[in-house]
Amino acid sequence: MSKTPGTIQVSSGVLTATFPLGSIAYVFTATFSGPHLGATVTPSDFTTSSATVAYNDVSVLDGNKPFVGQVDSQITICFPARSLHLTGTLTTPISPPQEIAGVGVWSTKPIMPTALGTLVTTSSTKFVAEFTINDKKYTLDGSFSPPMSTFRSNLVTLTYTTLGELIGSPGFTGEVGVDGIYLQLSTPKVTIVGDLTASISSKITIAGTGSWSSK
């Protein structure tokens, strides 16, 4: 069988499994039902540190699919077609083990380009985020409110669709803390996500405006 690595997570009762294959991501989105062989109606939230989809042919990653499985330190999801199953290792084990069942649907989406960089505050209301793409430096100078203690991320990920989005003066909203930063720019589908170098005491919602430059 062919195997493709990816991620599996459950958040607020919705399972999302994503597996990049070439320029396309195959995504399985599912909800839970029960009881079925003792299945839990809605399992606890979790994420995986690693996951794999195994299949005989990529054509099976399509359409509506019922499933059954189990979650503890690992997750195993089985489908009626023996030629398809999902497995993964949880970042935090669930105890006692939970039986799961439900139905989901496979879909595809193009994989968006990303770039790694840094984001550093220069005052209580300003930051500079820098990314290198194709040997060219892209810088976002941002101003935000409310004021907060300074913070830094030595590794943030910029996700975008085209380089043409990295121009102008977009607005943004987001959250900083306790350990991470998430910014959603007003330019559709452009985000900046990363871990903070040092934790801050609480999560704060911010909003502001940035200015892109490149050289």
Side-chain angles (χ1 to χ4, degrees):
M1 298 179 73
S2 299
K3 295 183 178 180
T4 298
T7 60
I8 303 173
Q9 69 173 15
V10 168
S11 178
S12 301
V14 177
L15 180 145
T16 305
T18 305
F19 302 95
L21 188 59
S23 61
I24 295 176
Y26 289 81
V27 182
F28 182 65
T29 306
T31 53
F32 300 91
S33 60
H36 177 82
L37 300 177
T40 303
V41 173
T42 302
S44 306
D45 287 1
F46 67 82
T47 58
T48 59
S49 57
S50 61
T52 302
V53 57
Y55 52 92
N56 280 345
D57 187 277
V58 72
S59 64
V60 301
L61 308 181
D62 184 55
N64 295 306
K65 296 279 194 302
F67 67 90
V68 296
Q70 183 176 4
V71 183
D72 43 38
S73 61
Q74 305 278 322
I75 179 171
T76 301
I77 294 178
C78 301
F79 297 89
R82 293 180 179 272
S83 59
L84 174 63
H85 62 267
L86 312 180
T87 57
T89 301
L90 274 62
T91 53
T92 302
I94 290 176
S95 181
Q98 298 180 345
E99 301 293 329
I100 57 175
V103 64
V105 61
W106 285 97
S107 61
T108 58
K109 63 180 182 181
I111 296 176
M112 296 173 65
T114 60
L116 300 178
T118 61
L119 188 150
V120 181
T121 51
T122 56
S123 73
S124 61
T125 59
K126 295 181 183 296
F127 69 78
V128 176
E130 295 182 332
F131 307 91
T132 300
I133 305 172
N134 299 331
D135 297 323
K136 191 173 184 178
K137 181 179 288 187
Y138 289 78
T139 301
L140 179 66
D141 292 288
S143 299
F144 61 88
S145 61
M148 61 179 295
S149 56
T150 57
F151 59 88
R152 173 186 193 96
S153 176
N154 290 331
L155 183 62
V156 289
T157 300
L158 169 70
T159 302
Y160 59 98
T161 304
T162 68
L163 292 177
E165 295 170 326
L166 309 183
I167 60 173
S169 301
F172 62 83
T173 57
E175 291 184 338
V176 181
V178 174
D179 297 312
I181 179 170
Y182 173 83
L183 298 179
Q184 172 67 64
L185 276 62
S186 57
T187 310
K189 299 182 179 180
V190 178
T191 61
I192 298 173
V193 181
D195 295 327
L196 298 182
T197 303
S199 300
I200 60 176
S201 58
S202 61
K203 183 179 292 186
I204 298 175
T205 299
I206 63 172
T209 304
S211 176
W212 283 108
S213 61
S214 60
K215 61 181 182 180

